[in-house]
């Protein structure tokens, strides 16, 4: 039994098993950003129904319902702010909004954040939480993976700036196969479910059950896919330390 | 007795009906052509369009993924790096090729070849024909997501022209992993999707029976993707599909590729990279400039900055 208030005080971490339950974007941003330093970006940017898509409900209606229900216009918040005195460019995805799915708006907001961080030479932090690409936008959603990766090429490879990705519960599909796994440093939360193909798809492909704990952060760590597993409560501090380490390099002759 | 007139008339009627039947295929019909067991595969096109061909192998790290074939060859005397998903031409071959579903090793092999191509000055031609990246335990453990992500980013830095042609199925990230390009072509009956119609149907309609509806809704065909500004050109197939006349299909492919390549070869590397970036930068449909209902933003952290000199962000 979880007592919600206690759980939230404890940053939604189950004390007993250390499981980091999913957390909404506002709850993540609040404690991470120094007071009176937050400037949100692209607050009014939302996806259009580019395919005029309708399954059991029109995409347009689904968007509005999600916006009403979650109090978010889309599945990611981006902005700039100080964290322990360093100006950073964070983007925080929110699984509550249509399962954190990535469509045009998420793709555009993250791309712009990266472009802004490139221009202002800011460290980039992307907190990932996603069920994958947004099917209602079809192949346009898929291309957001390429669009963001293209911006990251300029930011990371050409400008040699620092990008830290934080993988949370759950990070799957097109987010894993694009910016999720491109961090210069990849941090995961304890027991986060991180996958390219989902458990059910794998079981269908192989005709057998997947072993317990298979796609959790700890397993990925054992397989050399992550740099760090950091408890939620320590993330802000760890990011500061990393930022310090990278800014104290004595041989940046670029 | 001379029946040649009647025969000719019947032939004419037959040709007309065939044109009518195959002239306007629906998305569902095109999907089945894209997945046709006799649809020409990557290697079949290669052997039809190259003068010389040399397959190169391996990721130099313990694996040679049979789902992706790589090599160098010439078209009209000009050398290119060729990379493509390879489906089998029969069941036995399909099992060997893992049905053109690559593991991370396949994407890493592709990246090695692409870097090799850049190093030596080979423009890169990629050919997409995959149901998707392989969804297996080994693939996940070895970083399937990371391998695709790496390719997506690195392709935007390769200083040689890249043309991608979807020749069959464009299965989501598994396709895009070799598909970040200067020009994207699609054979007219091929498809490119973010999720297979079957998967989409199961998730959004909650029944695999809705696959035809999903096929229509997702707009996965070549012509639809040109409208959506994702694809640059539709390459015509012989009437009824490439499997009816593979050689002609390959020649159409060759002509389109060489025509686009001629333009790309004129560009210097920096311009090439700029155009490639711009091609993908413009994909996406968002609404802005309209202030949203505050109810839809109540869980967003509002601005509270008093930063000196930090104005609302402007992009130059």
């Amino acid at each position: 039994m979880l007592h919600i208030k206690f759980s939230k005080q404890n940053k939604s971490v189950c004390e007993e098993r250390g499981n980091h339950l999913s957390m909404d974007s506002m709850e993540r941003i609040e404690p991470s950003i120094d007071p009176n330093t937050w400037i949100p970006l692209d607050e009014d940017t939302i996806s259009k129904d580019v395919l005029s898509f309708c399954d059991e409900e029109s995409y347009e209606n689904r968007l509005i319902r999600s916006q009403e229900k979650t109090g978010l216009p889309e599945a990611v918040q981006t902005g700039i702010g100080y964290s322990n005195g360093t100006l950073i460019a964070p983007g925080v995805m929110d699984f509550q909004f249509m399962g954190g799915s990535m469509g045009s708006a998420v793709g555009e907001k993250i791309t712009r954040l990266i472009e802004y961080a490139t221009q202002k030479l800011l460290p980039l932090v992307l907190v990932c939480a996603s069920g994958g690409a947004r099917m209602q936008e079809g192949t346009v959603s898929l291309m957001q993976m390429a669009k963001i990766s293209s911006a990251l090429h300029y930011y990371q490879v050409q400008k040699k700036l620092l990008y830290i990705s934080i993988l949370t519960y759950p990070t799957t599909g097109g987010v894993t196969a694009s910016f999720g796994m491109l961090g210069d440093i990849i941090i995961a939360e304890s027991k986060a479910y991180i996958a390219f193909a989902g458990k059910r798809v794998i079981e269908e492909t192989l005709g057998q059950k997947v072993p317990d704990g298979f796609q959790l952060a700890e397993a990925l760590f054992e397989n050399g896919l992550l740099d760090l597993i950091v408890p939620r409560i320590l993330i802000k501090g760890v990011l500061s330390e990393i930022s310090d380490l990278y800014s104290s390099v004595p041989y940046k002759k670029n | 007795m001379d029946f040649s007139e009647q025969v000719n008339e019947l032939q004419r009627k037959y040709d007309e009906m065939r044109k009518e039947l195959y002239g306007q295929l629906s998305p569902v019909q095109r999907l089945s052509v894209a997945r046709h067991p006799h649809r020409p595969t990557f290697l079949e096109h290669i052997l039809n369009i190259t003068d010389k061909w040399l397959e190169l192998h391996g990721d130099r790290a313990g694996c040679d993924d049979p789902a992706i074939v790589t090599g160098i060859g010439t078209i009209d005397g000009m050398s290119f790096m060729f990379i493509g998903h390879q489906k089998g031409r029969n069941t036995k071959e399909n099992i060997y090729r893992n049905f053109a579903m690559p593991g991370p090793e396949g994407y890493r092999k592709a990246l090695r070849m692409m870097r090799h191509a850049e190093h030596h000055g080979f423009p890169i031609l990629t050919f997409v024909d995959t149901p998707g990246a392989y969804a297996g335990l080994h693939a996940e453990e070895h970083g399937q997501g990371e391998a695709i992500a790496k390719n997506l980013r690195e392709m935007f830095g390769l200083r040689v022209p890249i043309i991608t042609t979807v020749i069959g199925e464009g299965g989501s990230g598994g396709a895009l992993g070799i598909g970040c390009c200067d020009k994207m072509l699609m054979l007219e009956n091929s498809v490119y999707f973010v999720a297979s119609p079957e998967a989409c149907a199961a998730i959004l309609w909650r029944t695999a029976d809705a696959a035809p509806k999903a096929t229509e809704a997702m707009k996965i065909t070549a012509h639809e993707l040109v409208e959506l500004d994702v694809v640059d050109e539709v390459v015509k197939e012989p009437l009824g599909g490439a499997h009816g006349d593979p050689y002609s299909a390959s020649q159409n492919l060759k002509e389109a590729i060489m025509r686009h390549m001629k333009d790309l070869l004129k560009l210097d590397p920096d311009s090439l990279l700029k155009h490639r970036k711009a091609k993908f930068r413009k994909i996406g449909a968002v609404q802005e400039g309209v202030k949203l209902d505050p109810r839809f933003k109540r869980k967003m952290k509002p601005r509270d900055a008093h930063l000196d000199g930090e104005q609302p962000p402007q992009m130059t």
Side-chain angles (χ1 to χ4, degrees):
Chain A
M1 281 283 280
L2 282 175
H3 301 280
I4 305 291
K5 185 168 171 223
F6 175 75
S7 173
K8 279 192 190 281
Q9 264 175 15
N10 216 24
K11 290 200 184 288
S12 295
V13 175
C14 170
E15 267 221 334
E16 216 174 87
R17 289 156 92 219
N19 283 357
H20 287 53
L21 306 164
S22 70
M23 194 181 196
D24 68 45
S25 45
M26 178 72 123
E27 288 173 334
R28 281 190 190 280
I29 299 175
E30 265 305 317
S32 314
I33 299 294
D34 301 341
N36 301 319
T37 67
W38 177 249
I39 299 181
L41 295 172
D42 304 309
E43 289 172 285
D44 298 298
T45 300
I46 58 175
S47 269
K48 274 199 194 141
D49 186 4
V50 66
L51 304 182
S52 303
F53 192 94
C54 188
D55 50 87
E56 292 177 333
E57 186 182 1
S58 77
Y59 179 41
E60 217 181 300
N61 274 1
R62 239 186 240 280
L63 279 172
I64 294 171
R65 267 204 310 117
S66 300
Q67 287 161 349
E68 272 170 355
K69 175 166 164 248
T70 63
L72 293 168
E74 253 299 337
V76 69
Q77 294 195 49
T78 55
I80 55 170
Y82 281 88
S83 185
N84 281 349
T86 307
L87 191 59
I88 62 169
V92 182
M93 295 189 76
D94 201 314
F95 191 73
Q96 289 192 35
F97 191 96
M98 294 188 75
S101 53
M102 174 164 67
S104 299
V106 171
E108 187 63 31
K109 287 176 75 162
I110 292 180
T111 302
R112 287 187 194 167
L113 180 70
I114 299 170
E115 288 169 342
Y116 188 77
T118 309
Q119 227 181 53
K120 303 288 185 179
L121 307 178
L122 303 177
L124 174 73
V125 178
L126 294 177
V127 179
C128 306
S130 176
R134 191 165 298 171
M135 281 188 274
Q136 291 89 341
E137 292 183 44
T139 314
V140 172
S141 284
L142 180 68
M143 295 301 150
Q144 302 308 306
M145 291 169 64
K147 182 163 128 183
I148 294 174
S149 302
S150 168
L152 281 176
H153 188 278
Y154 193 65
Y155 178 85
Q156 288 179 286
V157 180
Q158 293 179 58
K159 291 298 179 189
K160 300 193 166 68
L161 297 163
L162 180 69
Y163 161 41
I164 299 171
S165 61
I166 301 178
L167 310 182
T168 72
Y169 184 100
T171 300
T172 66
V175 167
T176 308
S178 62
F179 59 93
M181 294 305 290
L182 287 176
D184 291 292
I185 295 197
I186 303 176
I187 299 175
E189 290 190 333
S190 178
K191 301 275 197 332
Y193 180 77
I194 302 162
F196 170 64
K199 183 156 167 265
R200 197 151 37 116
V201 176
I202 300 176
E203 288 179 341
E204 267 166 31
T205 306
L206 301 179
Q208 56 177 156
K209 278 213 139 291
V210 148
D212 275 338
F214 176 63
Q215 284 161 312
L216 298 187
E218 287 70 11
L220 267 79
F221 184 78
E222 290 298 312
N223 288 322
L225 297 170
L226 310 171
D227 289 288
L228 298 165
I229 297 181
V230 177
R232 195 171 278 172
I233 208 150
L234 297 179
I235 287 256
K236 188 182 184 189
V238 168
L239 289 178
S240 287
E241 293 298 332
I242 291 176
S243 185
D244 272 349
L245 282 162
Y246 280 79
S247 50
S248 306
V249 293
Y251 200 81
K252 194 138 180 145
K253 310 269 189 222
N254 304 311
Chain B
M1 297 235 272
D2 182 15
F3 291 109
S4 53
E5 216 183 279
Q6 288 95 313
V7 170
N8 285 340
E9 178 57 26
L10 282 172
Q11 182 69 48
R12 197 191 56 79
K13 273 208 174 119
Y14 172 76
D15 287 337
E16 218 176 273
M17 282 194 74
R18 214 169 154 254
K19 224 179 183 175
E20 227 180 273
L21 184 69
Y22 288 114
Q24 281 291 22
L25 292 180
S26 71
V28 173
Q29 288 166 325
R30 292 202 197 265
L31 176 62
S32 37
V33 178
R35 290 170 166 171
H36 196 280
H38 298 145
R39 187 166 178 78
T41 63
F42 169 53
L43 276 172
E44 285 164 273
H45 284 299
I46 291 304
L47 298 176
N48 280 338
I49 67 178
T50 55
D51 328 306
K52 300 183 189 177
W53 164 249
L54 179 68
E55 189 174 342
L56 299 174
H57 292 263
D59 64 357
R60 300 269 170 97
C63 188
D64 182 29
D65 193 335
I68 288 192
V69 168
T70 55
I72 50 181
T74 59
I75 299 178
D76 294 342
M78 207 180 274
S79 295
F80 299 100
M81 171 64 75
F82 295 83
I83 296 170
H85 300 103
Q86 181 61 30
K87 282 189 175 162
R89 284 158 286 198
N90 51 57
T91 308
K92 186 168 168 209
E93 211 178 297
N94 254 322
I95 291 170
Y96 168 67
R97 295 283 180 199
N98 202 27
F99 297 85
M101 294 186 288
E105 301 83 3
Y107 296 104
R108 290 174 185 142
K109 169 164 114 170
L111 184 59
R112 170 173 108 70
M113 298 297 172
M114 291 193 274
R115 287 194 171 134
H116 180 94
E118 180 191 45
H119 180 80
H120 290 284
F122 292 88
I124 297 166
L125 303 178
T126 73
F127 297 80
V128 167
D129 187 14
T130 177
Y134 189 58
L137 296 180
H138 182 271
E140 287 287 318
E141 285 166 346
H142 288 251
Q144 182 75 296
E146 192 273 345
I148 293 172
K150 188 59 70 67
N151 282 20
L152 298 188
R153 189 185 65 194
E154 297 305 299
M155 286 186 87
F156 284 98
L158 294 169
R159 298 170 77 77
V160 285
I162 306 175
I163 296 179
T164 297
T165 309
V166 183
I167 58 171
E169 278 182 284
S172 200
L176 194 60
I178 59 168
C180 297
C181 56
D182 299 308
K183 290 289 175 189
M184 178 130 45
L185 314 180
M186 270 180 87
L187 280 178
E188 94 176 270
N189 292 310
S190 54
V191 292
Y192 203 165
F193 46 73
V194 69
S196 72
E198 293 74 20
C200 181
I203 296 170
L204 296 183
W205 277 268
R206 282 169 298 173
T207 166
D209 292 340
K213 282 194 202 150
T215 307
E216 300 265 347
M218 285 203 295
K219 307 221 166 120
I220 64 176
T221 66
H223 290 105
E224 289 169 311
L225 290 170
V226 167
E227 301 261 310
L228 290 167
D229 224 3
V230 170
V231 167
D232 296 297
E233 184 176 323
V234 179
V235 177
K236 283 212 88 51
E237 291 184 34
L239 208 58
H243 59 281
D245 185 356
Y247 188 76
S248 293
S250 301
Q251 294 315 303
N252 292 350
L253 199 68
K254 174 180 161 181
E255 186 278 328
I257 288 174
M258 292 309 277
R259 182 171 21 92
H260 284 283
M261 185 56 67
K262 198 159 152 244
D263 290 334
L264 293 174
L265 288 171
K266 295 180 187 147
L267 297 176
D268 64 275
D270 286 331
S271 303
L272 212 53
L273 294 191
K274 215 171 98 187
H275 283 123
R276 192 177 305 156
K277 186 171 185 194
K279 175 180 161 54
F280 286 86
R281 183 63 186 86
K282 65 173 163 37
I283 302 178
V286 296
Q287 172 192 297
E288 5 193 36
V290 178
K291 273 271 179 269
L292 295 177
D293 187 331
R295 286 181 302 144
F296 298 171
K297 302 200 293 188
R298 63 187 190 271
K299 293 292 281 255
M300 286 191 95
K301 183 172 166 69
R303 179 188 175 130
D304 63 5
H306 300 315
L307 301 171
D308 290 339
E310 193 64 54
Q311 300 304 313
Q314 274 154 39
M315 225 71 84
T316 49

